[in-house]
């Protein structure tokens, strides 16, 4: 039996392999799930995704299932509660950014903007094929700039690139990886240096 070829990072452990094989790079069209993943990518800043993945269920419990309506109502007492939660990354700025991110999500919704349509508008709804080596691209820089303009935090070009990979806006599976899509449009370029 021939072993499946995977992206090299997926071989770290069984949990990372499962994440790679079932989630990473699979196009996400659900607005709430796109927002949750963006918030988790923000928590990942300075850490490894493996750390966040191990804590993901604790994050979901702590942040009310990443229900933007519930999270938007979190106040100072919730921030303190979260700062005491050893199951998550206890970084005040990231916790506060997630609460504000929920409020922005709801503000967009109130204006008639669907977060999923917004996210996918940058690629006209298509998955782009990445190089598998870039840490940021012109696309991630453009999305990052717009997210920042809207008030989101922890959404720099590198974080946004990781997010676009995770939610399938960009197919960055390595050439030869069994998950690499043949349908992705091959036009994504790394950001200009």
């Amino acid at each position: 039996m021939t072993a499946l070829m995977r992206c090299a990072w997926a071989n770290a452990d069984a949990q990372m392999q499962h994440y790679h094989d079932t989630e990473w790079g699979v196009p996400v069209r659900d607005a709430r799930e796109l927002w949750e993943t963006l918030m988790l990518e923000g928590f990942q800043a300075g850490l490894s995704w493996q750390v966040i993945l191990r804590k993901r269920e604790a994050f979901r419990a702590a942040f009310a299932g990443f229900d933007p309506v519930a999270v938007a109502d979190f106040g100072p007492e919730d921030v303190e509660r979260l700062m005491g939660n050893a199951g998550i990354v206890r970084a005040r700025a990231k916790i506060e950014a997630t609460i504000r991110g929920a409020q922005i999500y709801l503000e967009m919704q109130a204006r008639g903007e669907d977060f999923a349509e917004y996210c996918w508008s940058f690629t006209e709804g298509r998955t782009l094929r990445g190089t598998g080596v870039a840490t940021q691209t012109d696309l991630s820089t453009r999305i990052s700039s717009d997210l920042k303009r809207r008030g989101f935090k922890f959404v720099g070009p590198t974080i946004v690139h990781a997010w676009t990979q995770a939610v399938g806006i960009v197919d960055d599976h390595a050439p030869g990886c069994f998950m690499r899509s043949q349908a992705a449009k091959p036009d994504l370029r790394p950001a200009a240096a």
Side-chain angles (χ1 to χ4, degrees):
M1 181 188 241
T2 305
L4 292 175
M5 293 229 5
R6 291 182 174 86
C7 298
W9 62 263
N11 298 316
D13 64 28
Q15 186 178 30
M16 290 293 280
Q17 183 174 312
H18 179 74
Y19 173 70
H20 171 273
D21 292 359
T22 61
E23 290 183 62
W24 193 77
V26 176
V28 174
R29 303 288 177 163
D30 177 77
R32 194 218 51 81
E33 188 177 346
L34 286 161
W35 175 75
E36 173 186 340
T37 306
L38 182 62
M39 297 301 99
L40 287 172
E41 289 289 352
F43 273 102
Q44 185 265 329
L47 303 169
S48 74
W49 181 249
Q50 193 171 21
V51 169
I52 302 304
L53 191 58
R54 286 185 180 142
K55 294 177 175 278
R56 184 164 62 172
E57 290 310 314
F59 271 109
R60 287 175 172 161
F63 283 94
F66 282 97
D67 174 1
V69 174
V71 176
D73 282 339
F74 282 11
E77 65 285 351
D78 294 296
V79 173
E80 293 310 314
R81 171 183 56 83
L82 293 166
M83 287 296 294
N85 185 336
I88 67 169
V89 174
R90 295 176 287 181
R92 185 177 302 276
K94 293 176 181 181
I95 291 167
E96 291 172 347
T98 300
I99 295 167
R100 181 63 189 127
Q103 295 164 351
I104 296 166
Y105 177 99
L106 295 177
E107 290 164 7
M108 291 174 68
Q109 193 174 61
R111 289 191 303 269
E113 290 182 84
D114 178 80
F115 193 71
E117 288 176 14
Y118 164 76
C119 295
W120 284 92
S121 71
F122 292 93
T123 62
E124 299 175 348
R126 297 176 299 187
T127 295
L128 301 181
R129 180 171 297 136
T131 63
V133 296
T135 58
Q136 60 181 301
T137 62
D138 290 337
L139 174 65
S140 70
T141 300
R142 210 167 56 250
I143 296 171
S144 169
S145 178
D146 197 73
L147 287 166
K148 287 177 183 177
R149 180 184 62 77
R150 291 169 179 269
F152 285 97
K153 303 285 186 207
F154 294 97
V155 290
T158 300
I159 290 171
V160 169
H161 182 61
W163 171 72
T164 62
Q165 294 171 308
V167 299
I169 292 172
V170 173
D171 177 1
D172 244 349
H173 283 281
C177 174
F178 82 97
M179 289 291 291
R180 189 164 177 91
S181 170
Q182 299 304 312
K185 186 177 180 225
D187 64 355
L188 187 63
R189 304 287 182 264

